[in-house]
Amino acid sequence: MENGAEADNFSILNCIDLSSPDIHKSVSLLKQACLDSGFFYVVNHGISQEFMDEVFAQSEKFFKLPLNDKMKLLRNKKHRGYTPILDELLDPDNQVHVGDYKEGYYIGIELPEGDPKNDKPFYGPNIWPEPDVLPGWRQTMERFHGEALEVAKAVARIIALALDLEVDFFDKPEMLGDPIAILRLLHYEGISDPSMGIYGAGAHSDYGLITLLATDDVLGLQICKDKDAKPQIWEYVAPLKGAFIVNLGDLLERWSNCIFKSTLHRVLGNGQERYSIAYFVEPSHNCLVECLPTCKSEKNPPKFPPIKCATYLSQRYNDTHADLNIYNKHQT
């Protein structure tokens, strides 16, 4: 295989067809994936390949801008906007005080100035490039944000059935009826060297309910099915044209009482530029995440105390992102 990846260190993932009328097969495939690796592919999700190509093209246009122009759009306290290289440190035990060799751009659900929800973490207006700099950029990203949310809701309905819940369990207003849904454009470059603590993205699990990931054709994503193994075994996830790679987040692991896994993953750079688009889907700000009734028993009591979604997310973001004050020199 290319990029120094041997054929035997690729993970084989289930593929779920969202257009399939056989819901029992979809539930079975998803449940098997969630019990095994917490990762699976989703195809025939309703977003056209032509539009996906346009989103990637617009993403690349942004990251090709001069750094000074990108820094004018630096992320704010609501986690909207540009994140420079080394801004995020996901695996401090192994990254030797050096952050991820990637840059990104956060886009949330757009709320107008004055909306009462703007007082809450993760809600508020987005930061957008000027239309004369990137014509049509905002419209493309807003459209993709909306379409990706519908894909996530469709996946969540299958997850609900796999957990023996009502199909619309995650559609409730306090969950995906009023979600924290964050689109993140990502650009990787450079060569990773795990022996030196250098990664495109350090080992981490995602924080929320589920993540949808679209990638280009450059290899980089790896997963570790057993985080407690010594040594850890890392397997590549192959890019699949037209598919989303879906993985489960920490909140779903808490909901399911560890029946479903939030799996460690990381990105290794190989010297090629790599673009990906992550869509993080979390329940609403005030949603109380506690063990589901179908996932506990006398012999298997809840492993985690209840926690509000915003409390958990705020702590995880604060732990992994640089203090914004270090960028003050770029604001003058």
Side-chain angles (χ1 to χ4, degrees), residues 16-20 23 26-27 30 40-47 146-162 166-171 176-177 209-210 212 244 246 279 281:
I16 296 164
D17 183 346
L18 288 187
S19 69
S20 171
I23 189 64
S26 296
V27 170
L30 182 142
F40 51 92
Y41 297 109
V42 163
V43 297
N44 294 325
H45 42 67
I47 302 179
E147 293 190 15
L149 182 57
E150 293 308 308
V151 177
K153 288 179 177 179
V155 173
R157 292 180 191 117
I158 303 175
I159 291 173
L161 293 174
E166 294 295 322
V167 67
D168 60 353
F169 178 84
F170 292 110
D171 287 327
L176 298 187
L209 179 64
I210 59 173
L212 310 180
F244 282 114
V246 181
Y279 191 76
V281 184

Side-chain angles (χ1 to χ4, degrees), residues 269-287:
N270 58 25
Q272 295 177 273
E273 286 191 283
R274 178 177 180 269
Y275 292 89
S276 66
I277 300 166
Y279 191 76
F280 302 103
V281 184
E282 344 288 12
S284 75
H285 177 274
N286 290 321
C287 181

Side-chain angles (χ1 to χ4, degrees), residues 134-145:
L134 292 174
W137 199 88
R138 173 175 177 171
Q139 290 79 3
T140 297
M141 298 307 164
E142 287 187 320
R143 176 186 162 192
F144 179 76
H145 199 296

Side-chain angles (χ1 to χ4, degrees), residues 10-239:
F10 273 78
S11 189
I12 306 301
L13 303 184
N14 284 353
C15 188
I16 296 164
D17 183 346
L18 288 187
S19 69
S20 171
D22 188 347
I23 189 64
H24 297 292
K25 179 179 179 182
S26 296
V27 170
S28 177
L29 286 170
L30 182 142
K31 189 169 187 176
Q32 182 185 50
C34 293
L35 293 171
D36 175 37
S37 67
F39 274 74
F40 51 92
Y41 297 109
V42 163
V43 297
N44 294 325
H45 42 67
I47 302 179
S48 72
Q49 187 60 53
E50 181 182 21
F51 183 53
M52 290 295 302
D53 292 342
E54 174 62 17
V55 178
F56 272 95
Q58 292 282 14
S59 174
E60 184 173 348
K61 285 180 183 178
F62 171 78
F63 289 117
K64 295 293 188 187
L65 292 175
L67 179 59
N68 283 344
D69 290 349
K70 291 183 286 191
M71 289 301 292
K72 293 173 184 175
L73 302 165
L74 182 69
R75 68 174 170 88
N76 57 24
K77 293 180 180 179
K78 299 280 190 173
H79 293 282
R80 307 290 177 95
Y82 175 63
T83 55
I85 290 172
L86 305 183
D87 179 75
E88 195 170 9
L89 179 62
L90 291 169
D91 185 11
D93 290 340
N94 291 306
Q95 287 184 270
V96 200
H97 309 298
V98 176
D100 291 354
Y101 280 85
K102 70 173 189 290
E103 52 182 346
Y105 201 94
Y106 283 120
I107 302 167
I109 292 175
E110 181 71 16
L111 291 178
E113 294 283 357
D115 190 295
K117 285 195 291 190
N118 287 345
D119 293 334
K120 300 176 181 179
F122 305 104
Y123 291 92
N126 285 299
I127 297 173
W128 298 108
E130 291 296 331
D132 59 332
V133 176
L134 292 174
W137 199 88
R138 173 175 177 171
Q139 290 79 3
T140 297
M141 298 307 164
E142 287 187 320
R143 176 186 162 192
F144 179 76
H145 199 296
E147 293 190 15
L149 182 57
E150 293 308 308
V151 177
K153 288 179 177 179
V155 173
R157 292 180 191 117
I158 303 175
I159 291 173
L161 293 174
L163 289 169
D164 297 319
L165 302 166
E166 294 295 322
V167 67
D168 60 353
F169 178 84
F170 292 110
D171 287 327
K172 297 172 183 175
E174 68 271 23
M175 295 187 188
L176 298 187
D178 185 23
I180 299 170
I182 301 172
L183 167 63
R184 194 177 190 195
L185 311 175
L186 292 163
H187 173 226
Y188 298 85
E189 55 187 2
I191 300 176
S192 297
D193 185 348
S195 69
M196 299 292 289
I198 298 172
Y199 299 87
H204 65 286
S205 58
D206 288 348
Y207 314 149
L209 179 64
I210 59 173
T211 303
L212 310 180
L213 181 72
T215 74
D216 61 13
D217 59 0
V218 177
L219 203 61
L221 176 65
Q222 293 185 322
I223 65 174
C224 175
K225 294 180 183 178
D226 183 359
K227 63 184 177 183
D228 297 319
K230 303 292 183 185
Q232 291 178 336
I233 298 172
W234 290 93
E235 299 174 328
Y236 279 100
V237 174

